[in-house]
Amino acid sequence: MLKVGDVAPDFDLPDAGMEMVSLADLRGKQCVILYFYPKDNTPGCTLQAIEFSDLEEQFTRHDAVVFGISRDDCISHAAFRDKQGLTVQLLSDEEGEVCQSYGVLQEREKDGVKKVCLVRSTVLIDRRGVVRHILRDVLPKGHAQEVLKLVKEMNR
């Protein structure tokens, strides 16, 4: 399981425009916020994405970039982005490999049926590529503001 102090696992994932984003390319340049969310166009995920988009300029001022990651495909991400007017980049991890490496997939039981679910989580990575904060089972409302506060503290 990923822990604070670990080097963040590298990845290359496509965004909503099908352009590849590589974590390695950002190392040494800026802090990275990865917020993992269950599904495009659901109420909590929409609220969270809008809040991160609304604060994107402030994250940029603090040399941080925000990426939303889910197992939805690029087409779903593009429709979600366009429908909601989102500005944060949404990355597609259809196979769940990145979600697995960041420890956000968990088996949960509902109505006697076990299935693997993506647990809403956020990982803050410093410029050196080291995990500085891991927030698990977060609530969407107000979460982006909480993360911005952590970024400000991290950059002092």
Side-chain angles (χ1 to χ4, degrees):
M1 178 79 88
L2 188 68
K3 304 181 304 301
V4 170
D6 289 349
V7 172
D10 278 331
F11 62 79
D12 296 292
L13 290 175
D15 69 7
M18 297 188 198
E19 298 290 324
M20 293 303 288
V21 172
S22 172
L23 183 63
D25 290 346
L26 299 168
R27 194 165 290 125
K29 297 176 184 168
Q30 56 195 151
C31 299
V32 176
I33 293 102
L34 303 177
Y35 80 90
F36 294 88
Y37 67 98
K39 188 122 183 88
D40 290 341
N41 286 305
T42 56
C45 297
T46 299
L47 175 66
Q48 187 175 26
I50 289 170
E51 286 188 4
F52 272 112
S53 290
D54 287 348
L55 294 173
E56 186 177 30
E57 189 177 302
Q58 290 186 54
F59 281 109
T60 301
R61 267 191 254 139
H62 292 282
D63 291 324
V65 62
V66 178
F67 297 103
I69 301 177
S70 81
R71 297 188 63 188
D72 293 307
D73 62 28
C74 295
I75 294 167
S76 175
H77 280 344
F80 181 41
R81 175 199 63 203
D82 295 347
K83 179 181 178 183
Q84 301 299 334
L86 304 175
T87 58
V88 293
Q89 279 185 280
L90 304 176
L91 307 181
S92 176
D93 183 25
E94 284 187 85
E95 302 302 316
E97 293 172 7
V98 174
C99 292
Q100 188 70 42
S101 68
Y102 279 82
V104 300
L105 295 180
Q106 292 182 1
E107 187 173 83
R108 296 211 169 156
E109 188 173 330
K110 184 176 181 179
D111 300 327
V113 177
K114 289 183 181 180
K115 70 181 212 173
V116 175
C117 300
L118 192 154
V119 177
R120 191 182 310 275
S121 305
T122 300
V123 177
L124 283 75
I125 304 165
D126 69 17
R127 285 180 187 80
R128 296 174 298 136
V130 175
V131 174
R132 296 284 299 275
H133 298 277
I134 301 173
L135 308 166
R136 299 191 191 280
D137 270 327
V138 301
L139 298 175
K141 186 169 178 58
H143 179 63
Q145 191 67 49
E146 175 187 1
V147 171
L148 180 60
K149 182 179 174 194
L150 291 172
V151 167
K152 288 176 181 178
E153 290 170 5
M154 208 167 76
N155 285 334
R156 285 188 188 158

